[in-house]
Amino acid sequence: MGTEKKLQGKTFIITGASSGMGKATALLFAKEGAELVLSGRNLDRGNKMVSEIEAIGGKAIFIPGDVAEFKYNQALVEAALQYFGKLDGVVFHAGMLGLGAITELEPSLWRKTFAVNVDAVFFLLKFAIPELLKRPSASVVINTSIAAYKSFPNHPAYCSSKAALLAFSKQSAVEYGPSIRVNSICPGPVDTPFIHASASAFPDPAKAVENAGKNTLLQRLGQPEDVANLCLFLVSADSSWITGSAFTIDGGVLAKS
Ligand SMILES: NC(=O)c1ccc[n+]([C@@H]2O[C@H](COP(=O)([O-])OP(=O)(O)OC[C@H]3O[C@@H](n4cnc5c(N)ncnc54)[C@H](O)[C@@H]3O)[C@@H](O)[C@H]2O)c1
C-alpha cells in the first residue's frame, strides 16, 4: 500500500547522471523501482554509480559519451531498448557553463555551450520520442536554471542557452501532448561542483557561493536531493495533469529579485 514504489518497472534515461543533481536523481529513481540508462563522461564514476544502484537492488547501465554528439544520443535510446525493452522518460541534467563576457568569449565556446545545453536535448528527444509515444505515461524533465530568467556576470552563453531550453520544453509539450508530458525545472544555487565552477566568474568565488546560499529566502543552498524530489514528482503519476510548465526550485531567489 503505502510502500508501493512510484516508478516500478519504468525505464528512464538520465543525463549528467554521475554527479550532482543527476546522481541524486538516479539514486532516488532506482529506490523507486526504475530501470536506468545513465549518461555521463567518466567511466569510473559511472561504474561506481551502477554498483551503488545494484547494491540497493536497482538496475542500471552506464553509457559513457558526450551528449553533444548526435550518434551518442541514439546509443542511449538503443541501450534502453536493448537492456530494458522500452523507454518511459528522460531527465536531462547534463550542462556546461561556457563562461566569459561577450567581448571575451570565443565563438567556439559559445557554440559548444549551446551544443551541450541545447542541441543535446534536441538530439536525444529526436531519438527518444518515437519510443516514448509507445508508452502509456511518458514524461520528460529538462533542467534549465533560474539563469533562464536572470543574468549572472560572465554567463551570457549559459543564460541564453538555458532560456532556449524553456521554449524548447513548451514546444515539445505542445507537439507531443497528450502522449508525452514535458516540463522544465529551473534550479537556483544548488550545492554541486557546478556552482563552484560558476562562482569562478565572480570577483570573490568563495564569497559568491556563501552569499548564493545566504541570499535565498530559505537561507541555504539547495541540495541535489531537493531537485531529485521535484524530478520524481514530475515523472510520477502524482503530476499526471502537469505538462508544458516550468518549475522554479530556488529557495526563493527569483521572488526576491
Ligand atoms: N548547481 C547549480 O547551482 C545549478 C543551478 C541551476 C541549474 N543547474 C543545472 O543543473 C544541471 C546539473 O548540474 P549540477 O549542478 O548537478 O552539476 P554537475 O557538475 O554535478 O553535473 C553536470 C553534469 O553534466 C555532465 N556533462 C557536462 N558536459 C557534458 C557533455 N558534453 N557530455 C556529457 N555529460 C556532460 C557532467 O559530466 C556532469 O555529470 C546542469 O544542467 C546545470 O546547468 C545547476
Side-chain angles (χ1 to χ4, degrees):
M1 297 278 284
T3 57
E4 197 178 307
K5 293 184 173 179
K6 288 179 186 284
L7 307 179
Q8 191 61 50
K10 290 193 168 187
T11 303
F12 293 89
I13 297 172
I14 301 177
T15 72
S18 57
S19 168
M21 297 182 224
K23 181 176 177 178
T25 303
L27 290 171
L28 181 62
F29 281 24
K31 280 184 198 143
E32 290 294 341
E35 299 159 342
L36 302 173
V37 176
L38 307 177
S39 160
R41 288 172 301 178
N42 184 307
L43 188 57
D44 287 343
R45 283 211 314 244
N47 286 339
K48 217 170 137 223
M49 278 294 297
V50 171
S51 304
E52 266 185 70
I53 286 170
E54 286 174 350
I56 57 169
K59 288 186 197 161
I61 168 109
F62 180 76
I63 309 289
D66 180 344
V67 293
E69 283 176 15
F70 186 66
K71 289 272 181 200
Y72 172 65
N73 292 282
Q74 185 173 24
L76 290 173
V77 175
E78 282 172 358
L81 301 182
Q82 183 186 341
Y83 289 92
F84 306 119
K86 62 192 180 309
L87 181 64
D88 296 284
V90 184
V91 181
F92 291 92
H93 282 300
M96 65 172 280
L97 285 159
L99 296 176
I102 294 169
T103 49
E104 309 297 328
L105 191 63
E106 290 297 333
S108 57
L109 186 55
W110 170 274
R111 279 196 291 269
K112 187 170 179 209
T113 308
F114 270 75
V116 170
N117 292 356
V118 186
D119 296 8
V121 177
F122 160 60
F123 293 164
L124 183 46
L125 280 188
K126 195 171 166 57
F127 293 111
I129 282 168
E131 299 307 321
L132 295 173
L133 286 171
K134 297 175 187 166
R135 304 297 295 161
S137 54
S139 180
V140 172
V141 179
I142 301 176
N143 190 339
T144 75
S145 169
I146 57 168
Y149 302 112
K150 182 179 175 346
S151 68
F152 290 90
N154 298 314
H155 284 59
Y158 184 71
C159 293
S160 311
S161 65
K162 291 297 188 173
L165 284 180
L166 283 186
F168 187 74
S169 303
K170 281 190 280 184
Q171 181 74 20
S172 318
V174 170
E175 284 190 26
Y176 297 100
S179 305
I180 307 174
R181 295 188 299 112
V182 184
N183 292 289
S184 54
I185 60 169
C186 306
V190 179
D191 194 4
T192 70
F194 205 87
I195 194 170
H196 296 277
S198 171
S200 70
F202 290 71
D204 182 346
K207 198 86 197 144
V209 174
E210 194 189 321
N211 287 342
K214 274 192 191 154
N215 288 341
T216 68
L217 289 181
L218 299 177
Q219 296 173 1
R220 67 166 176 87
L221 291 176
Q223 292 303 312
E225 292 73 20
D226 293 320
V227 176
N229 286 333
L230 178 58
C231 294
L232 174 60
F233 170 69
L234 288 174
V235 301
S236 76
D238 292 340
S239 62
S240 60
W241 201 55
I242 298 180
T243 193
S245 293
F247 289 81
T248 301
I249 173 164
D250 68 346
V253 172
L254 284 187
K256 270 180 87 176
S257 303

